[in-house]
Amino acid sequence: MAELDAKYVAGYYNNQAKIGVGHMTYMDTVFVEGSSDADFFKKVIGSRYSWSGLNGKENVIEVRNDYINNRFPTNGINCYFCIDRDYDEILGATLQQDAEKALYYQMCLQGRTGGYNDLECFLFMSPIFDYTLKSKYGVKSEDVATIREEILTFAAWMGSYRVANRIWQAKCGKSEFCCNLDPNDTIVDEKEYGRHEVNPAFLFQENLAKIKKGRFVVDWSKFERKMESLIKSNYSYEFVVDEAHKIQDTLKSADKETLINYCRGHDITYLTCAMLRNYSSNFRNLNRHDVEDAMENWPLSSEGVTARSKEYMEQFQMIKELMV
């Protein structure tokens, strides 16, 4: 877990904002996983709150537990804590204790049901994705739907191995399907290098995936054989692959809203970046964070996109309750 400055974390009760000449007042504070989440929700919900990214889900939960246990004084300030659902619902993970107390699964309709695993998954499925590709990157309207379909299928299949691996983790306490990222992969940045769960970058790195005529071509069988050579335990390998195949059987006939439940937002933006690099040589230096920033900072002046997106977002429990 990332290090936290105790004074910074406790500082929510000192957070002040000027709301009029010579007048100071304390503000309620919303803690989210990252600074980009904070920027996005401030844009959507407004600056009536102070928004703070805590660099990870575990940090948000830890600070929230401290808040509930009154380890930090509040001076009457309300604090709210918002986390991604990730695969918690699919895996049947135990709900956070006292989940109703100041904790939100931020892109969900109620509790952690409905909606999306994370912010990027929502943006990808919303009109904001279409707007970004067409207005920011000049993608032809007729190509956007194909690009979304290709990314959704790839990311969901990747997610089947992620979920299967986490089922194994819950069973034995360790992860088996881990990959090293290539330091020469410029779509991601240095802080992402090291051992990770399986990821699309690994498939491109090992020439198991490529883009041909605007479509992803992925050899999943070869990927499995590659993973078998990297995993010491045949039992754990067979367990994860069998579980992934069970999931894939259900995904073959699944609709888009089911497929997106198996997707990870950063996989989606990685694949979007890969597609854009292939689409035009103008984007050869594009990285994943550029794509995420472009989607998260779509202009509010795009009235049609903004109206449709906000109308849907207002159904999310977190946004609905914080906008009251």
Side-chain angles (χ1 to χ4, degrees):
M1 184 171 64
E3 291 294 325
L4 289 174
D5 183 332
K7 293 181 179 178
Y8 169 73
V9 174
Y12 59 75
Y13 62 86
N14 287 324
N15 195 9
Q16 296 179 319
K18 189 176 293 185
I19 55 170
V21 178
H23 181 64
M24 302 293 289
T25 185
Y26 292 107
M27 295 180 72
D28 290 352
T29 301
V30 185
F31 291 104
V32 292
E33 292 189 19
S35 58
S36 60
D37 296 302
D39 292 341
F40 178 83
F41 289 118
K42 182 177 181 179
K43 178 178 182 177
V44 172
I45 297 177
S47 54
R48 60 177 289 189
Y49 302 97
S50 173
W51 297 88
S52 180
L54 290 182
N55 194 27
K57 187 174 189 173
E58 295 85 357
N59 289 333
V60 176
I61 292 171
E62 180 180 353
V63 176
R64 178 258 187 181
N65 290 341
D66 286 332
Y67 170 74
I68 288 179
N69 294 329
N70 293 316
R71 279 182 55 188
F72 298 129
T74 64
N75 288 357
I77 296 173
N78 292 315
C79 292
Y80 307 92
F81 302 86
C82 306
I83 58 176
D84 289 336
R85 177 178 66 196
D86 300 318
Y87 295 123
D88 289 357
E89 181 76 2
I90 290 174
L91 293 169
T94 303
L95 284 165
Q96 291 297 321
Q97 187 179 10
D98 299 323
E100 73 281 2
K101 292 184 180 179
L103 181 71
Y104 294 96
Y105 289 89
Q106 61 189 25
M107 305 311 291
C108 296
L109 298 179
Q110 185 67 37
R112 66 179 187 191
T113 62
Y116 301 96
N117 288 336
D118 52 42
L119 175 58
E120 289 79 17
C121 284
F122 161 72
L123 293 169
F124 171 72
M125 295 295 283
S126 77
I128 295 169
F129 180 78
D130 303 60
Y131 180 91
T132 301
L133 261 60
K134 289 186 286 188
S135 298
K136 175 74 174 179
Y137 298 114
V139 176
K140 297 177 181 177
S141 297
E142 59 267 26
D143 294 335
V144 173
T146 300
I147 290 174
R148 179 187 271 116
E149 181 180 346
E150 288 293 306
I151 293 169
L152 182 59
T153 302
F154 191 143
W157 234 253
M158 189 86 269
S160 71
Y161 295 98
R162 285 183 180 276
V163 171
N165 186 53
R166 294 190 188 191
I167 293 172
W168 173 255
Q169 281 182 284
K171 182 180 177 68
C172 72
K174 64 178 181 178
S175 174
E176 289 286 10
F177 268 45
C178 292
C179 309
N180 287 315
L181 291 176
D182 183 355
N184 295 315
D185 185 343
T186 55
I187 290 182
V188 296
D189 60 32
E190 292 181 0
K191 69 181 180 180
E192 296 177 79
Y193 299 154
R195 286 183 66 80
H196 287 264
E197 287 185 289
V198 291
N199 53 76
F202 179 78
L203 275 86
F204 283 101
Q205 168 185 322
E206 297 293 325
N207 296 315
L208 306 174
K210 60 183 177 180
I211 302 174
K212 187 175 181 180
K213 296 182 179 179
R215 304 272 183 170
F216 288 118
V217 180
V218 188
D219 191 332
W220 294 106
S221 296
K222 192 174 180 180
F223 161 71
E224 290 177 5
R225 292 195 297 273
K226 179 66 178 179
M227 293 310 301
E228 185 175 18
S229 71
L230 298 175
I231 295 173
K232 296 178 180 179
S233 166
N234 287 334
Y235 177 73
S236 60
Y237 166 79
E238 291 172 0
F239 180 94
V240 173
V241 169
D242 286 347
E243 289 295 323
H245 288 175
K246 290 176 188 176
I247 295 169
Q248 291 164 13
D249 285 341
T250 68
L251 296 182
K252 289 175 182 176
S253 58
D255 58 19
K256 292 179 180 179
E257 293 302 325
T258 300
L259 288 172
I260 195 65
N261 286 333
Y262 287 86
C263 295
R264 174 179 178 262
H266 291 326
D267 288 351
I268 283 174
T269 53
Y270 182 99
L271 295 170
T272 301
C273 185
M275 271 290 188
L276 289 171
R277 285 183 169 201
N278 180 75
Y279 193 83
S280 171
S281 60
N282 294 330
F283 306 133
R284 63 169 58 96
N285 295 320
L286 198 66
N287 63 47
R288 180 172 64 74
H289 296 290
D290 294 331
V291 172
E292 292 176 6
D293 288 344
M295 288 198 296
E296 291 165 4
N297 294 296
W298 95 99
L300 289 174
S301 58
S302 56
E303 294 182 2
V305 174
T306 299
R308 282 182 290 156
S309 300
K310 279 194 170 183
E311 182 180 7
Y312 183 66
M313 278 187 277
E314 286 170 3
Q315 300 177 70
F316 296 150
Q317 181 184 6
M318 166 197 163
I319 294 175
K320 179 169 57 179
E321 294 186 10
L322 291 183
M323 289 184 74
V324 173

